[in-house]
Amino acid sequence: MRVGFIGFGEVAQTLASRLRSRGVEVVTSLEGRSPSTIERARTVGVTETSEEDVYSCPVVISAVTPGVALGAARRAGRHVRGIYVDINNISPETVRMASSLIEKGGFVDAAIMGSVRRKGADIRIIASGRDAEEFMKLNRYGLNIEVRGREPGDASAIKMLRSSYTKGVSALLWETLTAAHRLGLEEDVLEMLEYTEGNDFRESAISRLKSSCIHARRRYEEMKEVQDMLAEVIDPVMPTCIIRIFDKLKDVKVSADARLQGCA
Amino acid sequence: MRVGFIGFGEVAQTLASRLRSRGVEVVTSLEGRSPSTIERARTVGVTETSEEDVYSCPVVISAVTPGVALGAARRAGRHVRGIYVDINNISPETVRMASSLIEKGGFVDAAIMGSVRRKGADIRIIASGRDAEEFMKLNRYGLNIEVRGREPGDASAIKMLRSSYTKGVSALLWETLTAAHRLGLEEDVLEMLEYTEGNDFRESAISRLKSSCIHARRRYEEMKEVQDMLAEVIDPVMPTCIIRIFDKLKDVKVSADARLQGCA
């Protein structure tokens, strides 16, 4: 088995390590890549090759930054004859555009659920599109892929909807706990939420707030994409407020002794 | 021990039952009350008495509908010499107004956390204000009261902040699952949320959505109060969107075979 990667960031590294540990040959092109990417690929034991050779693999996984995902599909489009798996964090609409660029090969929309760094749990990948079943064959080599939805774009829509909910929860938490903090009632409100929302509430709330502050700019951009996506199916209400919260959070400095609300 | 109740709805019934089972004499005035209230009080074994006699109890608990809470405090204000416990669902500002109406007696701001119908768990009451410790003495008679915050209004603020968070979560859920439903991906999104948010996510989501649809009008009003309250301490963002969602939900009919999102 031979799997080609376009891009070699954290997602590619994680998937490639698993595939390598099951004896799969993983290839990527490192031409013009940063020293850290080259180092990462070599650590995993990836075979360095040409772009054309990557495209010739039966499975080609595109794991690049969202902004260049469409360009990557365009470059690969004429060459790929196996299946092109777009695992990038892009909107369902962009996925469908990428799909239309793969001229002869198959296409799979794939999305990683939760964090790729998720500890103690298998990285769960959901996949949609005609060739998703074909991609699922990599489960023999240590991946954890399941087919969800039907069309390309469905897997990305599921991921986006899930993450729009969790981003909204973070925004709510931040506003609620900021008000509580101003009233000197932060600990009390948190304890009451723990009481009604479950035992792991505090831990997950703190982790969400920290992460929201650190990644506020990215979440802000992502929420705008969510808003556009929702606007195709409903008249969305919540994103306007959530976007405004992340807009505020962009300017909040996370202090070393970050308070409970993550960014005091 | 003798405890007087002003108003005898579900909250009073629950608290009175507990007090009665520990031998406390519970009194209330049933003058001009509805047959169902009279029936409820009699079932619990409450002693029927005059308003003045209720006011003469060392502990007087006001458990009325929010709209008449202030009027109840005004009527009782000149008479109560023990402690007046306002357990009504009112804003911290209204609590402070009620407090100022109790001329000679003590005052306690009390709030029930979670549902009074909460099964398998003790009904948790939080209390604030100078005389909260005095009210806590009823813990000897089967209640579960704890002091939180300092001033009258703090207990209500804690409750309101907690409930503004959970109302926001309901609004988010409704919008997310409605969009997912339109895309035919409702079950998938729900399963992914279950995966990352924990095992009891589905059950609590369904219960929240049903309850949000059924009580949309009340939640809508409550969110407006939350917005006012938050505006005293921060520049609130989320309530605008949450209010708009509950405004939509007011007009949604809950069908007998209500779909997952509670109101299709």
Side-chain angles (χ1 to χ4, degrees), chain B residues 120-131:
Chain B
D122 234 24
I123 294 159
R124 191 171 178 176
I125 299 170
I126 59 171
S128 67
R130 208 176 52 248
D131 304 294

Side-chain angles (χ1 to χ4, degrees), chain A residues 31-189:
Chain A
E31 215 184 303
R33 308 306 302 275
S34 72
S36 68
T37 299
I38 293 169
E39 171 64 23
R40 191 185 291 124
R42 286 182 182 157
T43 307
V44 178
V46 166
T47 309
E48 225 181 298
T49 188
S50 68
E51 220 170 44
E52 287 66 32
D53 191 44
V54 171
Y55 297 153
S56 76
C57 293
V59 178
V60 180
I61 301 177
S62 169
V64 296
T65 50
V68 301
L70 218 47
R74 189 169 291 117
R75 278 168 79 96
R78 259 176 303 164
H79 305 286
V80 172
R81 289 178 186 256
I83 58 167
Y84 182 92
V85 180
D86 195 314
I87 203 162
N88 301 302
N89 230 336
I90 53 178
S91 72
E93 205 190 340
T94 310
V95 168
R96 287 188 286 270
M97 284 163 73
S99 163
S100 72
L101 294 167
I102 306 303
E103 297 178 7
K104 302 196 186 76
F107 184 91
V108 178
D109 173 18
I112 291 174
M113 299 312 298
S115 167
V116 74
R117 290 183 209 163
R118 199 176 165 97
K119 288 181 199 90
D122 235 23
I123 294 159
R124 192 170 177 176
I125 299 168
I126 59 170
S128 67
R130 207 176 54 249
D131 303 294
E133 303 271 355
E134 189 62 27
F135 178 45
M136 261 188 79
K137 289 181 180 165
L138 287 187
N139 285 350
R140 286 181 218 150
Y141 304 101
L143 298 194
N144 179 16
I145 304 159
E146 61 194 291
V147 177
R148 290 272 164 182
R150 295 161 306 277
E151 306 298 319
D154 282 353
S156 294
I158 293 166
K159 177 171 186 161
M160 214 169 194
L161 286 166
R162 191 203 72 83
S163 85
S164 84
Y165 170 80
T166 57
K167 285 187 185 79
V169 167
S170 298
L172 272 171
L173 273 175
W174 184 74
E175 190 160 88
T176 307
L177 292 178
T178 298
H181 174 63
R182 298 265 166 91
L183 290 165
L185 300 172
E186 187 176 8
E187 182 55 30
D188 297 301
V189 171

Side-chain angles (χ1 to χ4, degrees), chain B residues 137-149:
Chain B
K137 290 180 181 165
L138 287 187
N139 285 350
R140 287 180 218 151
Y141 304 100
L143 298 193
N144 178 19
I145 304 160
E146 62 194 291
V147 177
R148 290 273 166 181

Side-chain angles (χ1 to χ4, degrees), chain A residues 1-5 8 15-28 44-49 53-54 56-61 138 141:
Chain A
M1 188 64 183
R2 212 162 168 257
V3 174
F5 276 88
F8 212 83
L15 302 185
S17 306
R18 295 191 168 232
L19 294 168
R20 286 290 301 129
S21 72
R22 302 293 183 104
V24 174
E25 189 190 1
V26 174
V27 305
T28 197
V44 178
V46 166
T47 309
E48 225 181 298
T49 188
D53 191 44
V54 171
S56 76
C57 293
V59 178
V60 180
I61 301 177
L138 287 187
Y141 304 101

